Structure formats: C-alpha cells, structure tokens
Amino acid sequence: MTLKGTVHKYSKDNIDTDVILPGPYLKIHDHAELSKHAMEGIDTNFSKKVSKGDFLLAGNNFGCGSSREHAPIALSHCGINAVIAPSFARIFYRNCVDGGYLLPLEVEKSTLEQISDKDSLEIDIEKNEIHDVSNGKKFLIRPFPPLIKKIIDCGGLMYYKE
Amino acid sequence: MNITEKIIARASNKNTVSPGDVVFGNVDKLMIHDVSGPGVIKVFEEWSKRGIQLEKVWDADKIWVSEDHFVPSADRISAENISKLTDWAKKFGIKKHFKYGLGQYGICHTLSHEEALVLPGEFYVGGDSHTNTTGALGALAVGLGHTDIAYAMMHGRIWLKVPETMLFKLVGKKPPHIMAKDIILKIISDIGTDGANYKAMEFAGDVVSEMSMEERLTLTNMTTEAGAKNGIIEPDAVTDEYIRQRTANPYRPVSGDDPNYLEEYTYEIDKLEPTVAKPYSPQNAAAARELQGVEVNKAYIGSCTGAKLEDLRSAAQILKGKKVKIRTEVLPAAQSIYLKAMKEGLIEIFMEAGAVVGPPTCGACCGAHMGILAKDEICVSTTNRNFPGRMGHVESQTYLASPLVVAASALKGKITDPRDIAK
Ligand code: SF4
C-alpha cells in the first residue's frame, strides 16, 4: 500500500491532545464538526490547509495528554492519513490503530529535520519507507509490532478476530 | 514478575509474562464518563452501520458510569449527551450510574476508590487518561480511548502490551509541608513528560508505606503526565483498611516477587522543597520559594488530583481564620467528600476565608466550563495539567501545586511556600 500526499509540519515536541482538539469541544461527537477544530491550539487554519490523504509531521510524544479519541478522529476527518513522529503517547497511538482512523508512523528523530513543510511524500507501508519526492530522500519507518500490523490490516480492532 | 506483570499474567491466564509481550487480558472492571460514554456510543453506532451490532454488554455489573466533565450541564449539547448516556446505560442494564443530583456522584477517578469500585489485583480499564489513579489500590488501572473501551465492553477483553517497570523508592521522613503532589511534580520534572512512555511506574519505600491512601492516589494520578501506561503501589495494611471501610467484597491482592525493574530511582523526601510546575508543562518544575514574586489571579482547589478529603483538610489548615486575596474556588471531588468536609467544618473555613465552594465537576480543570480562565489570567491549581489552553484561554497560565501551596498562594495573591504563612 502506497500513500501519497502533502506533509504539514509542526516540529514541536509534546503536542498534546488539548492542542489537537481543545477541551470545550469534547462534548461534540459529530466527526465533521470536530474536524473543523483540529489542531486549533497551534494553528486555527489547520483544517482549511489539509487535503484528503495528507500527512502530519511532528516532534516527540505526539498526542500526549488525555485519552480523547476526538483527537485522531478530528485529524483523520480533515484528511490526515498518517502522523509521522519520533514517538507517540500510548493512548493516542492505540486510538489511531484500533479505531482505524490513521497510521501513527514512528521515525528517527533526524528524519524530522530532513523533511520540510509542504513536501510531497510517498509512503510504502509494506516496505516501511517514506520517500520525500520533493527532495529525493528516503527514510525508514519503525516496523509495526505484529499484532498492531494485523489490526491495521483488518481496518481496526472492530474487525479483528482473536 | 513484579506486580504489574503478575496482574497481566493473571488477567491473560498465563503463568508468566515479560515486558514487550502482547496479550489479550480479561477485564475485571470498566468505566465510562459523560465524555467517553457518548464517544463509545458513537463507536457502536458506526460499527452498527458496518454490520457489527452490540446485542448486550459483556457484564453490566462490572461497568459503571460517572457524570463529571460537563455537569452541571454546561449547555444544551452537554445536557443531551447526559440524557443519551442515561438512556443507553438503562437499555444495557448498567445500574452503577453516578448521576449528578441523585445521591453520590463525582469525578470518575475519585469514585473508583471512594466507592471501592475497583479492588486490589484487578484489571481495570477506564475511558479517561487518568484511570492510572486507581493503581494506588494495587490494581492494574489503564486508560483507553473510545474504540478500545467499546471493544472491551463487548468482549470483556482487550489487548495490552506488558510494560517495562520503573521503580521509584521514596525514602526518609516526609516533612509536614511536603505532599505527594510535590513528590510527583519533582519526579516528572526529572524524567520528563514522556519519561515513562508505555511504561509502568511503581512506587515503594518507607515514605509510601507511611502515606495515606489518598496521598498515594496523587502519586499514581500524575503518572499519566509522565506518559505512563499505569502507576501502581503494592497493596498493604493501609490498602486493606481503606477498602474494608468501604466494602466487604472479597478480593485477591497481588504482590510482586523476583521483581523485575527497568530502572530504579531513589528520592530522599526529607530534602524536597514545596514544588510547583510552571506553564506550560507538568515537567517545568521550580521550588515554590523561587517563584514567590509571581502574582496570580485565581487559586483552584479541585479535580481528581487535588480535591480529595485530605487535600481539602490541608488547604483548610492554611486558610483557617484568614482571608484570601484572590478569587479562590474549592470543588470537592465527590459528593461524599463534600459532605465529609462539611461535617468536619472545612466548608465553613473555606467560605469564611472568602472562597467559593462549588459542586464536584471536572469543568474548570479541563477548561470546559464552571470558571475558565480569561486571556493572560494566571491560576495556581491543585490539578494535573497546564498545557496551553488547558484551563481556558490559550494565553492563560496555570501553575500546578499541592493544596498547601495553592492555599498559601490564595492568601498572598502570589505563589507562596506554605512555610512562609504565619501560623
Ligand atoms: S478532574 Fe481533570 S484530570 Fe481529573 S478526570 Fe476530570 S478533567 Fe480529567
């Protein structure tokens, strides 16, 4: 499976769920409405910038903070297909995979510096590889553990049979 | 195996597990609240569109519901969420529903221990990141998102990766001006907000043995701020007494043998200073005395971290017979705690000092309602998070501190070490 899209870069570490989807919107459960507020704590124009199939690139510990599934839902509903970061907070990571919303892709810290905002990326999930078409560089993705790969291949935990 | 590994082994019917193993575990208890509950219902609605129907929940008696984030109903949408959740819980036969205005209710993580809804040795999952709190009872308490909770509700099982464990030994003699909050803020400042990512944080040592259950709960509560999967303390006589005051239900406590730790840290608590986390990260610690010039607009004593009965007692001890200089809000964490505080005369102390006392709610802690911060306002708070916008406007600021420090700061209108308040 190869994913293609433009990357939106926010290189800060510890981008938390209060930034990805602020607390006052927690009462909202409509996915389209939530997506309008994605990343509002860091960029109020985020949802307008994103096209379907795009990627988000961020620093360490992306998604730390609360367990709100609103965060991956808002990102995926605005079009984000994968978040690329050196590390993720655990509940955010599980929510992405188990809900089948988007892919959390772990990369080396150095990858973050070498990909620029708005670069075009091609991501090969089977080969665990990111190809930055804009600068010609290739980067490795840390492979998914077997169970997580199976859940992703099923399309989410709902379809997974033990 | 250490205690976390032993509980996972038991939940997954295995003789032994090791860090890194991925297993499915049988869940003993499950919690949803008025944010995660409607989120979980939404997941079931989506699943049903794709042909997967929830006929019944795995065990209605093991599930409970709390109303805490948006009560009293902040607006029309939150009111509708609550009524939807209420109908849904009824339909699936969930009787343990702690409703606002109908007897005992409060913040979910407070109810879990106050009502002994979770017992030592159990595998407990909750639809909230601070589910870690309940690990102080010697349970494996893990926070999950809506899909995972929906799956666990249907199947009574969920996957988990066996975490590596970091051991924190708290030794020495805890001085009276130091609370568990100071200790955990210090630990987070040392290891960072991702210092325990995917890992278990276990607390031990004489300081922990001598700590009350409510203080222990402050330690485990904020393991979430270090990214931990769970926080845990081995059950002992303090645990047993706490549980026995609340329920006669039997339980099977678990303790570790041949402990297996990734790292061990020792903290000498005698030397610790009252500690405050500055905006905008729980790891941004400084001694309260270093910050004593910082003026604040509001003091907040509330939340699952800092509004248990002992938190209120500590604050009252400072405020007694004095007047606050800034807006001060006290929100006990549960109805039962409110009542106990009233009987002990604490509510009177707060009100005579000029503070407002409000009903239990998460409202202001997560910046949702019931007293949020304006642009540039500064709050000193007994809560657990101070990210941008956490308690209101993105340009407001929150300093996290113990109830003693928050109360002392309320009296001076600036960050204050409790030792600097005249008796
Ligand atoms: S009091 Fe604050 S931290 Fe605790 S559950 Fe409520 S919102 Fe979360």
Side-chain angles (χ1 to χ4, degrees), chain A residues 141-155:
Chain A
I141 302 166
R142 213 163 300 146
F144 290 112
L147 174 75
I148 291 182
K149 183 70 170 60
K150 269 190 219 153
I151 295 172
I152 290 170
D153 291 343
C154 294

Side-chain angles (χ1 to χ4, degrees), chain A residues 12-14 16-19 22-31 40-42 60-62 64-71 73 87-91 93-95 97-101 106 145-148 151 155-162, chain B residues 22 24 34-36 38-39 42-43 46-47 50 52 69-70 74-75 77-78 81 126-129 132 142-148 151 157-161 193-194 197-199 224-225 227-230 283 366-368 385 387-390 394:
Chain A
K12 264 183 69 172
D13 289 339
N14 301 311
D16 63 86
T17 51
D18 281 298
V19 166
Y25 306 121
L26 290 181
K27 60 193 171 211
I28 300 171
H29 294 282
D30 178 68
H31 294 185
E40 204 173 274
I42 203 169
N60 270 323
N61 201 22
F62 186 83
C64 62
S66 93
S67 60
R68 62 191 71 165
E69 200 151 308
H70 306 59
I73 289 172
S87 66
F88 290 89
R90 58 165 283 274
I91 303 183
Y93 186 98
R94 287 186 76 116
N95 287 346
V97 169
D98 289 352
Y101 304 114
E106 292 182 333
L147 174 75
I148 291 182
I151 295 172
L157 188 60
M158 152 180 70
Y159 298 113
Y160 178 81
K161 298 252 173 330
E162 263 187 73
Chain B
V22 178
F24 270 81
D34 58 352
V35 170
S36 55
K42 177 82 181 168
V43 170
E46 295 292 320
W47 288 8
R50 299 182 222 168
I52 297 176
H69 280 63
F70 287 94
D75 53 21
I77 302 179
S78 14
N81 280 340
D128 191 280
S129 62
N132 294 28
V142 179
L144 295 173
H146 309 160
T147 300
D148 283 341
Y151 186 91
R157 289 164 70 73
I158 192 68
W159 69 269
L160 66 165
K161 187 160 138 193
T193 50
D194 59 355
N197 220 350
Y198 304 110
K199 301 189 179 79
T224 305
E225 276 53 59
K229 180 192 204 87
N230 67 307
Q283 81 176 61
C366 58
R385 287 194 177 131
F387 304 133
R390 170 68 181 182
V394 272

Side-chain angles (χ1 to χ4, degrees), chain B residues 50-61:
Chain B
R50 299 182 222 168
I52 297 176
Q53 297 295 341
L54 176 72
E55 309 288 347
K56 61 179 195 55
V57 295
W58 116 93
D59 190 339
D61 295 335

Side-chain angles (χ1 to χ4, degrees), chain B residues 151-229:
Chain B
Y151 186 91
M153 245 184 200
M154 206 174 208
H155 302 282
R157 289 164 70 73
I158 192 68
W159 69 269
L160 66 165
K161 187 160 138 193
V162 181
E164 293 168 315
T165 299
M166 300 162 86
L167 178 70
F168 295 85
K169 269 199 218 148
L170 313 182
V171 301
K173 187 108 194 98
K174 186 171 74 68
H177 52 270
I178 292 296
M179 296 187 73
K181 182 68 172 279
D182 301 293
I183 301 174
I184 191 68
L185 287 175
K186 172 75 177 120
I187 291 175
I188 296 168
S189 80
D190 290 343
I191 66 172
T193 50
D194 59 355
N197 220 350
Y198 304 110
K199 301 189 179 79
M201 290 173 77
E202 184 176 330
F203 301 92
D206 9 316
V207 171
V208 177
S209 310
E210 283 164 27
M211 250 182 206
S212 67
M213 183 49 69
E214 286 198 350
E215 279 283 272
R216 295 177 183 188
L217 286 151
T218 303
L219 293 177
T220 46
N221 175 276
M222 287 199 70
T223 58
T224 305
E225 276 53 59
K229 180 192 204 87

Side-chain angles (χ1 to χ4, degrees), chain B residues 295-333:
Chain B
E295 299 208 13
V296 277
N297 306 98
K298 161 172 162 171
Y300 186 71
I301 297 165
S303 85
C304 53
T305 321
K308 299 175 262 53
L309 187 60
E310 282 177 44
D311 298 318
L312 303 183
R313 281 183 189 144
S314 304
Q317 164 202 326
I318 301 276
L319 296 175
K320 189 169 185 180
K322 303 200 168 73
K323 294 278 180 220
V324 297
K325 235 189 206 157
I326 49 169
R327 185 166 102 239
T328 300
E329 300 167 15
V330 183
L331 284 85

